[in-house]
mmCIF file of all heavy atoms in Angstrom:
data_model
loop_
_atom_site.group_PDB
_atom_site.id
_atom_site.type_symbol
_atom_site.label_atom_id
_atom_site.label_comp_id
_atom_site.label_asym_id
_atom_site.label_seq_id
_atom_site.Cartn_x
_atom_site.Cartn_y
_atom_site.Cartn_z
ATOM 1 N N GLY A 237 21.486 -61.552 30.905
ATOM 2 C CA GLY A 237 20.683 -60.413 30.599
ATOM 3 C C GLY A 237 21.262 -59.603 29.502
ATOM 4 O O GLY A 237 21.729 -60.086 28.529
ATOM 5 N N LYS A 238 21.298 -58.217 29.738
ATOM 6 C CA LYS A 238 21.851 -57.331 28.766
ATOM 7 C C LYS A 238 22.403 -55.975 29.410
ATOM 8 O O LYS A 238 21.975 -55.700 30.485
ATOM 9 C CB LYS A 238 20.636 -56.944 27.749
ATOM 10 C CG LYS A 238 19.544 -56.260 28.317
ATOM 11 C CD LYS A 238 18.454 -55.930 27.294
ATOM 12 C CE LYS A 238 17.248 -55.175 27.896
ATOM 13 N NZ LYS A 238 16.181 -54.878 26.905
ATOM 14 N N VAL A 239 23.158 -55.289 28.650
ATOM 15 C CA VAL A 239 23.631 -54.059 28.990
ATOM 16 C C VAL A 239 23.180 -53.024 27.954
ATOM 17 O O VAL A 239 23.213 -53.398 26.742
ATOM 18 C CB VAL A 239 25.186 -54.036 29.160
ATOM 19 C CG1 VAL A 239 25.783 -54.372 27.900
ATOM 20 C CG2 VAL A 239 25.614 -52.670 29.602
ATOM 21 N N VAL A 240 22.656 -51.871 28.367
ATOM 22 C CA VAL A 240 22.054 -50.944 27.433
ATOM 23 C C VAL A 240 22.674 -49.552 27.687
ATOM 24 O O VAL A 240 22.818 -49.211 28.750
ATOM 25 C CB VAL A 240 20.549 -50.874 27.562
ATOM 26 C CG1 VAL A 240 19.988 -49.819 26.528
ATOM 27 C CG2 VAL A 240 19.894 -52.176 27.373
ATOM 28 N N HIS A 241 23.084 -48.869 26.524
ATOM 29 C CA HIS A 241 23.471 -47.463 26.649
ATOM 30 C C HIS A 241 22.501 -46.636 25.721
ATOM 31 O O HIS A 241 22.350 -47.043 24.559
ATOM 32 C CB HIS A 241 24.959 -47.320 26.054
ATOM 33 C CG HIS A 241 25.936 -47.808 27.188
ATOM 34 N ND1 HIS A 241 26.918 -46.893 27.543
ATOM 35 C CD2 HIS A 241 26.093 -48.912 27.718
ATOM 36 C CE1 HIS A 241 27.679 -47.684 28.328
ATOM 37 N NE2 HIS A 241 27.217 -48.860 28.529
ATOM 38 N N GLU A 242 22.006 -45.623 26.263
ATOM 39 C CA GLU A 242 21.138 -44.694 25.485
ATOM 40 C C GLU A 242 21.578 -43.267 25.626
ATOM 41 O O GLU A 242 21.450 -42.689 26.803
ATOM 42 C CB GLU A 242 19.680 -44.859 25.784
ATOM 43 C CG GLU A 242 18.674 -44.062 24.895
ATOM 44 C CD GLU A 242 17.294 -44.299 25.276
ATOM 45 O OE1 GLU A 242 17.039 -45.101 26.235
ATOM 46 O OE2 GLU A 242 16.437 -43.761 24.471
ATOM 47 N N ARG A 243 21.973 -42.556 24.584
ATOM 48 C CA ARG A 243 22.419 -41.259 24.648
ATOM 49 C C ARG A 243 21.290 -40.388 23.990
ATOM 50 O O ARG A 243 20.937 -40.511 22.938
ATOM 51 C CB ARG A 243 23.696 -41.070 23.879
ATOM 52 C CG ARG A 243 24.455 -39.732 23.967
ATOM 53 C CD ARG A 243 25.705 -39.611 23.133
ATOM 54 N NE ARG A 243 26.716 -40.498 23.695
ATOM 55 C CZ ARG A 243 27.593 -40.045 24.658
ATOM 56 N NH1 ARG A 243 27.584 -38.802 25.051
ATOM 57 N NH2 ARG A 243 28.486 -40.838 25.078
ATOM 58 N N MET A 244 20.895 -39.383 24.828
ATOM 59 C CA MET A 244 19.814 -38.429 24.415
ATOM 60 C C MET A 244 20.392 -37.191 23.604
ATOM 61 O O MET A 244 19.673 -36.609 22.797
ATOM 62 C CB MET A 244 18.978 -37.958 25.572
ATOM 63 C CG MET A 244 17.994 -39.036 26.120
ATOM 64 S SD MET A 244 18.773 -40.335 26.927
ATOM 65 C CE MET A 244 17.382 -41.202 27.600
ATOM 66 N N GLY A 245 21.590 -36.768 24.010
ATOM 67 C CA GLY A 245 22.118 -35.590 23.358
ATOM 68 C C GLY A 245 23.568 -35.433 23.567
ATOM 69 O O GLY A 245 24.181 -36.113 24.398
ATOM 70 N N PRO A 246 24.184 -34.578 22.767
ATOM 71 C CA PRO A 246 23.664 -33.773 21.603
ATOM 72 C C PRO A 246 23.332 -34.651 20.402
ATOM 73 O O PRO A 246 22.657 -34.112 19.504
ATOM 74 C CB PRO A 246 24.721 -32.799 21.350
ATOM 75 C CG PRO A 246 25.981 -33.463 21.724
ATOM 76 C CD PRO A 246 25.680 -34.318 22.924
ATOM 77 N N ARG A 247 23.633 -35.791 20.381
ATOM 78 C CA ARG A 247 23.266 -36.795 19.302
ATOM 79 C C ARG A 247 22.639 -37.994 19.852
ATOM 80 O O ARG A 247 23.107 -38.520 20.838
ATOM 81 C CB ARG A 247 24.456 -37.237 18.472
ATOM 82 C CG ARG A 247 25.357 -36.154 17.847
ATOM 83 C CD ARG A 247 24.693 -35.469 16.608
ATOM 84 N NE ARG A 247 25.676 -34.632 15.907
ATOM 85 C CZ ARG A 247 25.847 -33.422 16.199
ATOM 86 N NH1 ARG A 247 25.147 -32.861 17.235
ATOM 87 N NH2 ARG A 247 26.758 -32.629 15.549
ATOM 88 N N ARG A 248 21.522 -38.433 19.374
ATOM 89 C CA ARG A 248 20.787 -39.637 19.868
ATOM 90 C C ARG A 248 21.593 -40.899 19.372
ATOM 91 O O ARG A 248 21.942 -40.940 18.232
ATOM 92 C CB ARG A 248 19.376 -39.674 19.454
ATOM 93 C CG ARG A 248 18.539 -38.595 20.094
ATOM 94 C CD ARG A 248 17.034 -38.908 19.930
ATOM 95 N NE ARG A 248 16.625 -40.072 20.726
ATOM 96 C CZ ARG A 248 16.250 -39.985 21.968
ATOM 97 N NH1 ARG A 248 16.245 -38.802 22.608
ATOM 98 N NH2 ARG A 248 15.969 -41.095 22.607
ATOM 99 N N HIS A 249 21.825 -41.789 20.303
ATOM 100 C CA HIS A 249 22.526 -43.040 19.960
ATOM 101 C C HIS A 249 22.129 -44.093 21.036
ATOM 102 O O HIS A 249 22.035 -43.734 22.269
ATOM 103 C CB HIS A 249 23.984 -42.748 19.945
ATOM 104 C CG HIS A 249 24.794 -43.970 19.589
ATOM 105 N ND1 HIS A 249 24.756 -44.533 18.309
ATOM 106 C CD2 HIS A 249 25.689 -44.653 20.348
ATOM 107 C CE1 HIS A 249 25.506 -45.577 18.236
ATOM 108 N NE2 HIS A 249 26.144 -45.650 19.443
ATOM 109 N N LYS A 250 21.818 -45.246 20.606
ATOM 110 C CA LYS A 250 21.380 -46.243 21.530
ATOM 111 C C LYS A 250 22.013 -47.611 21.090
ATOM 112 O O LYS A 250 21.921 -47.965 19.792
ATOM 113 C CB LYS A 250 19.983 -46.377 21.737
ATOM 114 C CG LYS A 250 19.434 -47.362 22.766
ATOM 115 C CD LYS A 250 17.873 -47.378 22.953
ATOM 116 C CE LYS A 250 17.461 -48.419 23.981
ATOM 117 N NZ LYS A 250 15.970 -48.363 24.042
ATOM 118 N N PHE A 251 22.472 -48.460 21.952
ATOM 119 C CA PHE A 251 22.861 -49.800 21.619
ATOM 120 C C PHE A 251 22.588 -50.759 22.887
ATOM 121 O O PHE A 251 22.616 -50.370 24.015
ATOM 122 C CB PHE A 251 24.276 -49.861 21.159
ATOM 123 C CG PHE A 251 25.353 -49.498 22.233
ATOM 124 C CD1 PHE A 251 25.897 -50.396 23.145
ATOM 125 C CD2 PHE A 251 25.760 -48.186 22.320
ATOM 126 C CE1 PHE A 251 26.770 -50.057 24.057
ATOM 127 C CE2 PHE A 251 26.768 -47.761 23.152
ATOM 128 C CZ PHE A 251 27.306 -48.711 24.022
ATOM 129 N N SER A 252 22.522 -51.994 22.511
ATOM 130 C CA SER A 252 22.210 -52.942 23.527
ATOM 131 C C SER A 252 22.925 -54.282 23.162
ATOM 132 O O SER A 252 22.992 -54.624 21.899
ATOM 133 C CB SER A 252 20.655 -53.297 23.674
ATOM 134 O OG SER A 252 20.423 -54.336 24.536
ATOM 135 N N TYR A 253 23.499 -54.967 24.182
ATOM 136 C CA TYR A 253 24.243 -56.217 23.945
ATOM 137 C C TYR A 253 23.822 -57.249 24.956
ATOM 138 O O TYR A 253 23.553 -56.912 26.099
ATOM 139 C CB TYR A 253 25.634 -56.000 24.109
ATOM 140 C CG TYR A 253 26.405 -55.202 22.921
ATOM 141 C CD1 TYR A 253 26.917 -54.034 23.282
ATOM 142 C CD2 TYR A 253 26.420 -55.698 21.711
ATOM 143 C CE1 TYR A 253 27.576 -53.144 22.286
ATOM 144 C CE2 TYR A 253 27.087 -54.945 20.740
ATOM 145 C CZ TYR A 253 27.648 -53.667 20.979
ATOM 146 O OH TYR A 253 28.085 -52.971 19.995
ATOM 147 N N PRO A 254 23.688 -58.512 24.596
ATOM 148 C CA PRO A 254 23.423 -59.538 25.611
ATOM 149 C C PRO A 254 24.616 -59.624 26.556
ATOM 150 O O PRO A 254 25.774 -59.312 26.149
ATOM 151 C CB PRO A 254 23.265 -60.820 24.729
ATOM 152 C CG PRO A 254 23.969 -60.494 23.442
ATOM 153 C CD PRO A 254 23.859 -59.021 23.175
ATOM 154 N N MET A 255 24.343 -59.952 27.786
ATOM 155 C CA MET A 255 25.524 -59.956 28.724
ATOM 156 C C MET A 255 25.301 -61.077 29.818
ATOM 157 O O MET A 255 24.184 -61.349 30.205
ATOM 158 C CB MET A 255 25.417 -58.669 29.557
ATOM 159 C CG MET A 255 26.575 -58.331 30.465
ATOM 160 S SD MET A 255 28.109 -58.030 29.563
ATOM 161 C CE MET A 255 29.241 -57.827 30.930
ATOM 162 N N THR A 256 26.426 -61.746 30.061
ATOM 163 C CA THR A 256 26.458 -62.740 31.114
ATOM 164 C C THR A 256 27.361 -62.162 32.177
ATOM 165 O O THR A 256 28.517 -61.734 31.927
ATOM 166 C CB THR A 256 27.076 -64.089 30.720
ATOM 167 O OG1 THR A 256 26.156 -64.649 29.694
ATOM 168 C CG2 THR A 256 27.176 -65.087 31.827
#
Side-chain angles (χ1 to χ4, degrees):
K238 63 181 179 180
V239 58
V240 182
H241 286 234
E242 183 175 8
R243 185 180 292 271
M244 283 72 171
R247 303 283 191 275
R248 293 196 67 89
H249 183 65
K250 183 177 181 179
F251 62 89
S252 173
Y253 291 114
M255 188 72 180
T256 298

